[in-house]
Amino acid sequence: MNIYTTDHIRNVVLLGHGGCGKTSLAEAMAFLAGVTKRMGSVDGGNTLSDYDKEEVKRKNSIHTSLIPIPWEDIKINLLDTPGYYDYVGEVEEAVAAADAAIIVVSGKTGIQSGTKRAWKLCEERKLPRMVFVTDMDDDKASFKKVVQDLQDLYGKKIAPFHLPIRENQQFVGYVNVIQQKAKRWNNHGTVDKFDVPDYSRENLDICREVLLEAVAETSEEYMERYFDGDTFSDDEIRQALRVGVFDCTMVPVLMGSNTLARGMYTLMADIKKYFPSPDRCKVAGINTVNNEVFEADYDFSKSKSAYIFKTIVDPYIGKYSLVKVNSGVLKPDDVLYNYHRDTEEKINKLFVMRGNKAEEVKELHAGDIGALPKLSVSQTTDSLSVKKSPVTFIRNPISKPYVYRRYTTPKKGDEDKISQALSKIMAEDLTVRQENDSANSQTLLYGMSAQHLEVIQSVLEEKYKVHIDLERPKIAFKETIRKKVDTEFKYKKQSGGHGQYGHVKIILEPSEEMEEPYQFEQTVVGGAVPKNYFPAVEKGVSESVKKGPMAGYPVTGVKVTLYDGSYHAVDSSEMAFKVATEQAFKKGFMQANPVLLEPYASLKVVIPNEFTGDVMGDLNKRRARVMGMNPVDDESQEILADIPYLELYEYDTRLYSITRGSGTFSYEFVRYEQAPDDIAQNEVKKAEKDE
């Protein structure tokens, strides 16, 4: 691939709802630019972007793919992202490397939850954007409705550039709103100009007025001219559009057909015209030597620095760290310093990725995106720079996973293989997390949704040839007592020779420290239990609280006082006193009004206003206590509630169903509360069955 300087690069991320046509749009653009000789399809499983077996099987994107597209004298680094929230981490990584975005909307299905989520992400990152409406070859597609809905949501900044032209139910051309000219596609892949059809005149006038109003908003001078009835030249409109798109006050709306590869030429031309090259963008880090701001700003003349925004770890293609060069020019044999890991990385070769194909390049200029193979310790969100001027950039925030399942290994001996495979998956996807819950003897796997976890399970089987079972996780219940009891146990055993003898009298009572499993005191007088056996008694208590007598859950908030007992000069031992204590604890605990405690979470649910009633009703069924509601904006509500962890199981699936994918939730542990009798009894029965 040719070398591109900073001013000839456009880094563009494709965003939108799942199934809206992002991957097929990327495929059509690549085909039109001559990158491929034949256009693949999602259904055919042969696109540049969706190369992974899991993506081919599911017919939707799971990973972000990079597709560099040479167009005229520029290179468009196209980042094709998944549309479903299950893979939001991939989207967040891609956005960190992008300088602009294309929000893809299907003309058939219109604005969806993923569309709004994409817009919100662009607003948060202040990303210049366009909207591209796909499926215009379909009779059910309505460009007019999409534009109207966008304007209703986002106001005057929506600026339609084109209008579709249909003849005999066929999508044959478009009207250019700026030029006020009609164009028809011909068999040579170019367009023929013709007069605007009469049936398009009214819509052209409406769209032209909307466009001019948006142009007028870009400056006071233009606003005055607009109100004075003055007209703008095509060049003035384009100049205003460049300014408006760059500062996010204008969002052009284009349209086309991915399957017919129509509309991509104008899209790529407008990417070149209106989207910024990296040298117009800003990026800054911290020089860790002097703690001063390092304004990298994609300047090729400054010292080398780069940011790792994504990692690919694949058993077939190897490990690649995808980087965006923030300053300088990277070359093979460069040695870059990773401040976060305090290590130097030798860069042997430089590549650009096109889907799953790596193509070697001689250098990468500031603002470009490339791949560094086989970095030893560097990970996603790390910064690379020269050691004499070490720089660290702000780590891109990645969504936290809240959905988890217990996983087990049915085949003995696979534990190490699974651990290694999961490490590679977690290096690729920062929204995957593994946690060892030793208190409940389970290993937990966290992801963004139940489907996300199922995909991980499938990837382990397909790529790494290991299998895990995903199961409902054990809830971290705890046991405690509500009253004070006095109990004792004498452990006496004779079997020839030395016997075993230990006798303890203890008081069990609720402690004031509910966060601690137990408190231990001794008030023995007169040597009834010798001091050298006190540690054995406490050991018996510490072992007992690991698995409570009621339902086998850890014990908390219990105070144990050893006040009396007896011993035998020959037969007493540490083991005998430990066993006696364990038996006394078990006996006394069950007499002290034992109760089961269940963990509660502080839950935050963000939903569109229209779903508030249904979500509240579902929360009530889940024993949640709604603590408050806050408006997030004109369209959304934040519901705050306390909810038992037991009721969070499969909540992601239910919320998705209620809100059609537009709701999100997060939670954190808040406290333990006494579980209702029916739940406690159910746990006791399960414990008895397991025995």
Side-chain angles (χ1 to χ4, degrees), residues 453-496:
L453 294 176
E454 287 168 11
V455 167
I456 295 166
Q457 181 186 35
S458 185
V459 168
L460 285 169
E461 193 143 355
E462 286 286 335
K463 275 190 182 178
Y464 298 100
K465 310 306 177 189
V466 289
H467 180 74
I468 62 171
D469 288 329
L470 295 175
E471 302 169 358
R472 182 169 185 156
K474 285 183 182 178
I475 297 300
F477 289 103
K478 289 188 179 182
E479 299 177 21
T480 194
I481 55 176
R482 292 299 189 216
K483 74 176 186 179
K484 181 177 180 179
V485 297
D486 189 333
T487 187
E488 67 173 309
F489 191 88
K490 185 182 291 184
Y491 178 64
K492 189 175 180 181
K493 191 174 181 183
Q494 194 71 40
S495 57

Side-chain angles (χ1 to χ4, degrees), residues 400 402 599-605 619 624-628 638-645 648 651 665-673:
K400 182 180 175 182
Y402 288 100
Y600 266 71
S602 176
L603 175 69
K604 183 190 294 182
V605 187
L619 286 174
R625 292 193 295 271
V626 175
M627 311 302 286
E638 176 188 78
I639 300 174
L640 303 174
D642 286 352
I643 187 171
Y645 269 74
L648 284 171
Y651 185 64
F665 73 97
S666 60
Y667 61 86
E668 59 182 16
F669 171 77
V670 62
R671 66 181 169 277
Y672 273 88
E673 289 188 14

Side-chain angles (χ1 to χ4, degrees), residues 554-659:
V555 171
T556 191
V558 174
K559 181 180 179 182
V560 180
T561 304
L562 172 66
Y563 71 91
D564 200 359
S566 63
Y567 75 102
H568 189 280
V570 177
D571 291 346
S572 286
S573 66
E574 289 184 356
M575 189 198 76
F577 273 96
K578 176 176 170 289
V579 172
T581 304
E582 289 173 347
Q583 294 301 319
F585 185 94
K586 184 177 181 180
K587 175 184 168 187
F589 192 92
M590 295 308 291
Q591 295 170 348
N593 189 14
V595 294
L596 196 68
L597 301 176
E598 65 175 334
Y600 266 71
S602 176
L603 175 69
K604 183 190 294 182
V605 187
V606 179
I607 51 166
N609 290 333
E610 61 193 285
F611 302 116
T612 302
D614 290 339
V615 170
M616 293 277 279
D618 182 66
L619 286 174
N620 288 332
K621 291 176 186 175
R622 292 173 181 268
R623 298 190 289 129
R625 292 193 295 271
V626 175
M627 311 302 286
M629 289 177 58
N630 303 310
V632 176
D633 48 42
D634 291 341
E635 296 187 341
S636 301
Q637 285 284 344
E638 176 188 78
I639 300 174
L640 303 174
D642 286 352
I643 187 171
Y645 269 74
L646 187 67
E647 304 295 344
L648 284 171
Y649 183 67
E650 295 187 336
Y651 185 64
D652 60 306
T653 306
R654 182 61 183 148
L655 185 65
Y656 185 94
S657 174
I658 293 173
T659 65

Side-chain angles (χ1 to χ4, degrees), residues 15 17 83-85 88 112-122 124 154 656 660-664:
L15 302 172
H17 195 81
Y84 294 107
Y85 188 71
V88 67
Q112 295 173 279
S113 60
T115 316
K116 296 176 183 178
R117 196 174 285 123
W119 184 280
K120 185 179 178 183
L121 197 55
C122 291
E124 290 170 354
Y154 308 119
Y656 185 94
R660 298 197 286 276
S662 59
T664 60

Side-chain angles (χ1 to χ4, degrees), residues 150-163:
L150 286 168
Q151 289 171 336
D152 290 344
L153 284 169
Y154 308 119
K156 296 178 180 178
K157 62 172 64 177
I158 300 300
F161 272 23
H162 302 137
L163 289 172

Side-chain angles (χ1 to χ4, degrees), residues 6-45:
T6 310
D7 56 331
H8 288 84
I9 295 168
R10 303 290 187 274
N11 297 313
V12 182
V13 62
L14 297 180
L15 302 172
H17 195 81
C20 66
K22 298 182 294 299
T23 296
S24 56
L25 174 60
E27 193 71 17
M29 290 170 70
F31 172 71
L32 190 62
V35 173
T36 58
K37 293 182 180 178
R38 201 173 88 177
M39 195 163 69
S41 70
V42 173
D43 286 336

